[in-house]
């Protein structure tokens, strides 16, 4: 898929303030600082589209980006970040949960996982929550440039083993680096195929 255009549409504190549900959308979610906003910039090829920060907790609202005038990428706040006031965190999580469960045009959620860390309870629990609620998702192991081949393989294997204890099969999985653009073509092809399948089924 070639990206011809990418533009910021809206930053919404809650689902009822999001753009109308008339175009397919793909969400990016994961723990704070995992690289959601960086991945959106890498995919679109526009380095300053979504705001990134070395400090966790940067994205605090639901951010829609319109791609090729026909579908959305959605940057979501991170989960599991302890340094914001509890009430604020609860509000983010409430609006993100509502978005995930109720947004009808959400075609797939990319769940980002930091390649550097052993399986995290919050990531496993979050994917279980998606499974229970039958929300289509794919895994994305981020920051691939920061880990050696050996530890990367070990961490992926640990995730797979943990998940296969509860799941019959593993979700679609991508490996990315916002630094060297690894995984870009694979994710964009997946998005293109998913949109094509959707339009063929209508
Ligand atoms: P929140 O909005 O706070 O939840 O964070 P986020 O998940 O959107 O992360 P963000 O894209 O802001 O990136 C966090 C930090 O990780 C920044 O310092 C990025 O430059 C860095 N980063 C993101 N992706 C990569 C990557 O693939 N490789 C490397 N080396 N650094 C990355
Ligand atoms: Mg962000």
């Amino acid at each position: 898929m070639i990206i011809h255009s990418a533009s910021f549409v809206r930053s919404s504190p809650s689902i009822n303030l999001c753009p109308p549900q008339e175009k397919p959308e793909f969400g990016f979610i994961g723990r704070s600082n995992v690289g959601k906003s960086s991945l959106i910039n890498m995919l679109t090829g526009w380095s300053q589209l979504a705001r990134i920060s070395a400090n966790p907790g940067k994205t605090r609202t639901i951010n829609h980006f319109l791609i090729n005038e026909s579908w959305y990428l959605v940057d979501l706040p991170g989960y599991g970040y302890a340094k914001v006031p509890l009430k604020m965190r609860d509000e983010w999580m409430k609006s993100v949960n509502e978005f995930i469960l109720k947004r009808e045009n959400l075609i797939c959620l990319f769940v980002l996982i930091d390649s550097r860390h052993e399986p995290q309870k919050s990531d496993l629990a979050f994917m279980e929550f998606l499974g229970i609620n039958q929300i289509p998702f794919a895994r994305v192991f981020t920051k691939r440039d920061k880990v050696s081949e050996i530890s990367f393989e070990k961490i992926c294997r640990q995730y797979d083993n943990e998940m296969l204890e509860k799941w019959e099969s593993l979700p679609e999985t991508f490996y990315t680096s916002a630094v060297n653009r690894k995984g870009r073509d694979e994710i964009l092809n997946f998005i293109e195929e998913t949109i094509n399948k959707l339009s063929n089924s209508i």
Side-chain angles (χ1 to χ4, degrees):
M1 149 124 38
I2 297 171
I3 306 291
H4 302 287
S5 64
S7 58
F8 170 70
V9 176
R10 194 179 297 172
S11 183
S12 320
S14 65
I15 184 174
N16 40 2
L17 297 169
C18 286
Q21 307 187 63
E22 56 198 17
K23 294 182 169 64
E25 62 193 27
F26 296 82
F28 291 78
I29 194 146
R31 280 183 300 125
S32 277
N33 206 246
V34 68
K36 301 174 289 294
S37 304
S38 303
L39 181 58
I40 288 181
N41 291 344
M42 186 271 261
L43 291 173
T44 57
W46 187 3
S47 64
Q48 288 174 5
L49 191 62
R51 290 198 196 135
I52 65 163
S53 168
N55 301 318
K58 178 69 181 172
T59 309
R60 299 179 171 204
T61 48
I62 300 166
N63 294 281
H64 278 79
F65 300 95
L66 181 61
I67 312 298
N68 293 351
E69 303 293 328
S70 58
W71 51 277
Y72 292 115
L73 288 179
V74 188
D75 193 9
L76 294 161
Y79 53 79
Y81 179 53
K83 282 190 187 161
V84 292
L86 206 57
K87 188 165 178 285
M88 197 191 270
R89 212 175 357 142
D90 285 351
E91 273 165 23
W92 294 356
M93 282 332 291
K94 193 168 156 250
S95 51
V96 170
N97 275 0
E98 219 179 348
F99 180 84
I100 293 169
L101 298 174
K102 296 195 184 151
R103 190 82 177 160
E104 285 167 12
N105 54 330
L106 177 66
I107 308 304
C108 180
L109 259 186
F110 290 100
V111 178
L112 275 59
I113 297 167
D114 195 323
S115 300
R116 296 172 299 175
H117 307 308
E118 298 203 334
Q120 303 285 306
K121 279 200 181 112
S122 55
D123 291 333
L124 292 164
F126 182 73
M127 288 189 276
E128 204 175 329
F129 163 80
L130 295 179
I132 290 167
N133 288 288
Q134 297 183 309
I135 308 294
F137 73 93
R139 294 183 303 184
V140 180
F141 287 91
T142 63
K143 305 193 183 182
R144 177 65 190 86
D145 56 288
K146 285 203 160 189
V147 278
S148 70
E149 191 71 34
I150 290 179
S151 53
F152 180 70
E153 275 182 12
K154 183 173 158 221
I155 284 172
C156 292
R157 204 170 42 243
Q158 285 174 338
Y159 262 103
D160 288 354
N161 290 342
E162 291 257 9
M163 288 182 75
L164 286 169
E165 282 179 20
K166 294 201 172 147
W167 299 73
E168 271 174 34
S169 60
L170 294 167
E172 189 90 37
T173 304
F174 301 94
Y175 311 97
T176 62
S177 163
V179 172
N180 61 29
R181 304 174 84 190
K182 185 177 166 40
R184 182 175 187 269
D185 291 348
E186 290 81 355
I187 293 187
L188 289 178
N189 287 344
F190 171 79
I191 291 176
E192 185 171 34
E193 276 168 23
T194 310
I195 292 175
N196 287 345
K197 269 189 219 151
L198 190 75
S199 40
N200 290 339
S201 69
I202 292 172

